Amino acid sequence: MIKAILVFNNYGKPRLSKFYHYYPEDMQQQIIRETFQLVSKRDENVCNFLEGGSLIGGSDYKLIYRHYATLYFVFCVDSSESELGILDLIQVFVETLDKCFENVCELDLIFHVDKVHHILNELVMGGMVLETNMAEITQRIEEQNKLEKQEAGISAAPARAVSAMKSMNLPQQIKDMKLPDLPNISSLKF
């Protein structure tokens, strides 16, 4: 089971953190710092998994990570997870982000945190892997984007209606209206 997913930059600044086990906020920050210290000190030519830090569970848990450009993607998992399977999951996550943001960068994670969490939730929910097929994940993301655009259209409808009413110039149209001649009331017999 996945216990936490952390993404931080080369300086240890967290860009994404998702904990699937409850920790108080101060403990989460300590875990992020400790994880960064463990992962950032490793050489580029060593394997991408190591024993978890003391705060996250020690030898019962593993830190599996990948370093891409300026970002570290770290998954903290228990012993039931396959290291190679999680490395593949990290790759799918990064490729999906890259496809959704067209060359994802650190700023995309900062300014589109809701979309990044949505993508992550398509892969992992409650610490369990849901989907590893990138085509399925991107299809779900595209469906969500279509729904958001439809909702934006519906929410913008009142503003468009007001704008249309203003552009109609109703007072002038009323003045210009030609009414049919009505019969004279005095000529009518009762």
Side-chain angles (χ1 to χ4, degrees):
M1 186 168 167
I2 298 170
K3 198 167 185 179
I5 297 173
L6 308 171
V7 178
F8 40 79
N9 68 12
N10 289 338
Y11 302 104
K13 297 283 186 195
R15 298 304 182 210
L16 172 76
S17 63
K18 183 82 172 184
F19 288 88
Y20 297 104
H21 185 271
Y22 173 74
Y23 292 103
E25 183 67 31
D26 60 332
M27 182 74 152
Q28 289 180 12
Q29 296 305 315
Q30 290 175 1
I31 289 170
I32 291 169
R33 280 192 296 276
E34 180 185 46
T35 303
F36 173 72
Q37 291 298 320
L38 289 170
V39 170
S40 65
K41 288 180 182 177
R42 294 177 59 90
D43 285 334
E44 291 291 325
N45 58 355
V46 298
C47 71
N48 290 22
F49 38 92
L50 66 147
E51 192 174 280
S54 60
L55 296 174
I56 197 87
S59 62
D60 295 336
Y61 289 88
K62 294 175 266 186
L63 298 176
I64 302 169
Y65 70 95
R66 300 276 313 258
H67 186 209
Y68 296 95
T70 63
L71 295 171
Y72 287 94
F73 290 79
V74 182
F75 282 51
C76 176
V77 300
D78 63 16
S79 58
S80 68
E81 294 290 342
S82 162
E83 290 95 347
L84 296 177
I86 296 297
L87 282 174
D88 284 342
L89 184 64
I90 294 171
Q91 184 70 29
V92 168
F93 181 42
V94 171
E95 285 182 20
T96 304
L97 289 171
D98 198 50
K99 189 168 187 175
C100 290
F101 291 110
E102 298 176 16
N103 295 324
V104 68
C105 67
E106 188 174 344
L107 292 175
D108 291 322
L109 300 181
I110 295 169
F111 292 117
H112 303 286
V113 68
D114 54 335
K115 191 170 183 178
V116 173
H117 275 279
H118 180 73
I119 293 167
L120 182 60
N121 288 339
E122 291 293 326
L123 279 112
V124 178
M125 182 79 61
M128 303 296 289
V129 178
L130 295 178
E131 185 63 64
T132 58
N133 184 344
M134 195 172 78
E136 281 290 320
I137 296 165
T138 54
Q139 181 180 353
R140 299 294 168 255
I141 300 302
E142 288 169 7
E143 289 170 359
Q144 181 65 29
N145 290 342
K146 286 179 187 175
L147 283 174
E148 288 174 4
K149 286 179 183 175
Q150 287 175 349
E151 288 177 1
I154 291 170
S155 66
R160 286 194 309 263
V162 168
S163 176
M165 291 296 287
K166 286 180 180 178
S167 68
M168 288 176 64
N169 196 5
L170 284 177
Q172 186 62 39
Q173 286 186 3
I174 291 172
K175 288 179 186 176
D176 294 343
M177 196 179 294
K178 300 284 188 210
L179 296 174
D181 291 334
L182 297 174
N184 189 355
I185 296 178
S186 61
S187 65
L188 294 176
K189 296 182 182 176
F190 292 103

